[in-house]
Amino acid sequence: MKEQELLNLLERVRCGGVSPEEAAKQIDRPAFEDLGYARVDHQRARRQGAAEVIFGQGKTAEQIEGIVRCMMDRGASNILITRLSAEKEAALRGKFPYRYSQAARLATANPAEQPLAGSVAVVSAGTSDLAVCEEAALTAEALGSRVQRVYDAGVAGLHRLLAELDTLNRARCIVAVAGMEGALPSVVGGLVSCPVIAVPTSVGYGANLGGLAALLAMLNSCASGVSVVNIDNGFGAGFLANRINRMKGVEEE
């Protein structure tokens, strides 16, 4: 239990909203809960600053529902479900509150309004990269980052990117998403002073090799301050961008 959660619980005991016996039960709850098919980590937010994220691919709709309900029972909100197919989303409809982006295949269960801080920019090379971009952008937003989207600004028309320099320079972290030859992160990395997270996508013709060509190009970037996540891993980029954006000691805007 986080310090603030504990203080809130104790305040409710003081005001008579919760009995001491019930409070003792809540404090003594186990760190994880074994559902048989998943061990739900209830202390993830305390250790890492964000609750456990549910990877929807490979899980049944019933398993996803069980994990979400388990987390909601412990007070979790803005629970991310990644790689959630339209079929599973349809099966979950009405089971619990959530927002769903079919383009990103991402749902936010038990959504709650929260203040957004700092600035993360998500930049795409082309429109075909938008699914990965939105996975990154929605992840960062669900975790509490303010996100600016700069889409379809690849190197084939460099003036489109240069027109957004003010937005890029205001960002504390930039996610640059590209398929084809994967040149965009190197260009962005040479223009800004903040960290750049490069995301190769599987978008491209045969020699793109399902994103491998873009991945290798990004790993060999000559621009300093560029790091790379896995192919199509918008979630990983958005999570890391939020962590950089929300680092302690950085003044909130």
Side-chain angles (χ1 to χ4, degrees), residues 12-201:
R12 290 169 64 194
V13 173
R14 188 183 71 83
C15 296
V18 176
S19 69
E21 292 77 14
E22 176 60 26
K25 288 180 182 179
Q26 292 189 36
I27 292 172
D28 197 39
R29 282 180 174 178
F32 69 88
E33 195 165 342
D34 193 345
L35 302 181
Y37 52 85
R39 295 188 179 191
V40 183
D41 183 358
H42 292 301
Q43 290 190 348
R44 186 74 59 88
R46 182 177 180 181
R47 297 195 314 273
Q48 296 190 328
E52 185 171 7
V53 175
I54 302 168
F55 183 64
Q57 186 176 322
K59 293 182 177 68
T60 66
E62 291 75 16
Q63 288 172 336
I64 294 171
E65 180 185 357
I67 297 170
V68 170
R69 290 192 180 281
C70 180
M71 295 176 69
M72 288 175 61
D73 285 345
R74 295 287 288 268
S77 60
N78 292 322
I79 303 164
L80 286 171
I81 309 169
T82 66
R83 301 302 164 98
L84 182 64
S85 67
E87 292 77 15
K88 291 177 186 176
E89 185 273 329
L92 291 170
R93 205 169 295 161
K95 303 289 187 180
F96 48 81
Y98 66 84
R99 292 191 294 257
Y100 178 63
S101 167
Q102 185 170 346
R105 293 185 295 164
L106 184 144
T108 305
N110 198 24
E113 295 300 321
Q114 61 179 331
L116 301 179
S119 178
V120 169
V122 178
V123 186
S124 81
T127 304
S128 296
D129 301 310
L130 291 193
V132 177
C133 287
E134 279 300 292
E135 186 179 50
L138 292 171
T139 295
E141 286 176 336
L143 295 173
S145 286
R146 184 181 297 109
V147 176
Q148 300 294 326
R149 292 161 169 81
V150 179
Y151 289 169
D152 195 22
V155 298
L158 193 57
H159 53 291
R160 300 173 299 180
L161 182 67
L162 297 178
E164 301 289 346
L165 267 181
D166 286 345
T167 299
L168 300 183
N169 283 323
R170 285 194 299 269
R172 293 175 180 165
C173 184
I174 297 173
V175 176
V177 183
M180 299 292 186
E181 83 289 355
L184 178 65
S186 290
V187 175
V188 173
L191 293 172
V192 300
S193 59
C194 67
V196 176
I197 302 170
V199 189
T201 72

